[in-house]
Amino acid sequence: MAKMLKWNVLVVFVLILSLVISACSSNTASNKNPASTKDNNSSSEPAKLSVFIASRATDAMYSSETLIWKELGKRLNIEFQFITGDTKTMTEKFPVMVSSGEYPDIVSGKIRDFNKFGMQGAFIPLNEHIENAPNIQKYLMDDKDAKTQTLAIDGNIYSIPMLSAVRTSEGPLVRKDWLDRLGLQMPETIDDWYNVLKAFKDKDANGNGDATDEIPFSTIGTPDTFYLDFADAWGIDLNVDGRWFEENGKMVYSPIDPRAKEYLTTMNKWYSEGLIDKEMLSRQDKDYTAMIFNDKVGATTHWIGYVAGFNSRPEAQKIKGFNYQVTPPPVLNKGDKALTSRQQLITVPWAWGISATNKNLEATMKLFDYVYSDEGQILLNFGVEGDTYTKNADGLIQYTEKIAKNADGIAKALYRIGAQPLLGFRQDAQYEKASCASEDACKQLFNYVDNNYFRDPVPSLKYTDEDGERFNELSTQINTYVDEMMSKFIIGQEPLSKFDTFVSTVKSMQFDELEEIQAKAYENYKELLK
């Protein structure tokens, strides 16, 4: 019996010992796969990355102590070293840096420069590396427009771009209180606009007893060309950055299209009848805003967020009922879908890429992908929760007084902490909302987004260096002539009967060569989409 007891004790002891050994082995195995990046980061040396980037606040150049960069370093276990300066300085230094052959690990710049110098070997293609970057894959590669706007002509991605959050750009706005005073509805069609502007001119719309002091329509004429936005009604864009558009399988140059003649004829009629500010083509912002806050201007086309913010300015409070409201893009016929070509592209020109000499590719791609994540998006747009922003129960972000009450404005405060940097991250719509001058201005800013008033973006064409240089050379000559003639047609210095002569002159300026370059680039664009 005693012998049996001893045997049982021995068996129990062996079992306990085996369990202990097994547990120790299990613990050892789990330690090879850290439970979190945070634990792993704290026990390893930080990756060191040099960054070439413009600081957005000239009085707060980026350093390892800049809030956003400090937080990125802490979260990703990276030690940053900066080569920085103001935007102008760094833009000028970019080609010098490339030609020197001495590259920082990470470089911030314009998409077009990464594509140009990437194909020359200065920056690495990122296509394969993006396959292991789920956030970049989702928001860049899986979005046709974002991807094609970033691709180089050789089909490679050489940089990760900034993605815009609000497509709203410019459009028409009208004094709603003037409409109400005259019993008019918001204009929709071009005919509606004509009737509204005529009423503003003839019927004492500002209610001061003088029916001759109103300027029905005005805007800034130089260097911007907001007055061209009414061409949306004809389905074309006459602004210099949007004159080529895709139609029926080819690229079309809008200023010589018959629809341009119809638009110019309408604008000439409005101008000749005194519905358009006689000084509009040379009108500067200072005089323009002075007229607005002297209660003279009934309607305008401009940056929507800018004019919508007028309602809350102190000068406006002195004018009873002052109320600018955005209208839909104009249409020709009642019931037509209101659409605009004037919109922000999904990609902002700024991006960042990885130089050919980067020796820490894994850490760099981890950084790039983190910045594209939801968590990284919040950090780069708003900063650190509890310090620069708070969230309410609905998840709505609000800036703390540190940002909202900054004497130099919200934007400057954000730039100083490193938010909204000029690199490849995703802008957040809440950033625009949190920065709005008022709830009304915010509602107007998002009106076009909420109603999806946007045409499909124009194809993002890619050119060889030779074709690109020739395209720019020919375009500059032709557009200079076109700008001059469109202005003359509007104000009547040239009769519309000479429009066909104008078209012939454009075509005589080696336009056929320009068309060939566009056709070639368009075919390449379609190949890149495959």
Side-chain angles (χ1 to χ4, degrees), residues 49 76 78 106 124-137 160 352-354 358 360-372:
L49 294 173
L76 300 175
I78 296 174
I106 300 170
I124 66 169
L126 302 177
N127 308 47
E128 293 181 5
H129 304 294
I130 290 173
E131 293 176 3
N132 298 314
N135 296 301
I136 296 175
Q137 182 69 46
I160 306 301
W352 57 355
I354 302 175
N358 185 307
N360 217 327
L361 184 57
E362 183 178 353
T364 306
M365 283 305 300
K366 183 178 179 182
L367 167 67
F368 280 18
D369 196 60
Y370 177 78
V371 165
Y372 253 50

Side-chain angles (χ1 to χ4, degrees), residues 53-54 150 176 215 289 307 352 363 384 417 489:
I53 187 171
T150 310
K176 180 67 166 55
I215 300 173
T289 53
V307 177
W352 57 355
V384 177
I417 65 167
F489 283 138

Side-chain angles (χ1 to χ4, degrees), residues 2 9 147 265 404 417 429:
V9 170
K147 179 182 177 181
T265 301
I417 65 167

Side-chain angles (χ1 to χ4, degrees), residues 190-191 193-194 230 234 259-273 275-276 332 489-490 496:
I190 286 294
D191 286 342
W193 272 100
Y194 174 76
F230 279 108
W234 286 267
R259 286 164 288 188
K261 181 179 181 179
E262 294 176 18
Y263 159 79
L264 292 168
T265 301
T266 299
M267 292 300 104
N268 172 259
K269 174 182 172 67
W270 290 7
Y271 186 89
S272 64
E273 293 186 15
L275 307 185
I276 293 177
L332 286 183
F489 283 138
I490 289 173
L496 268 300

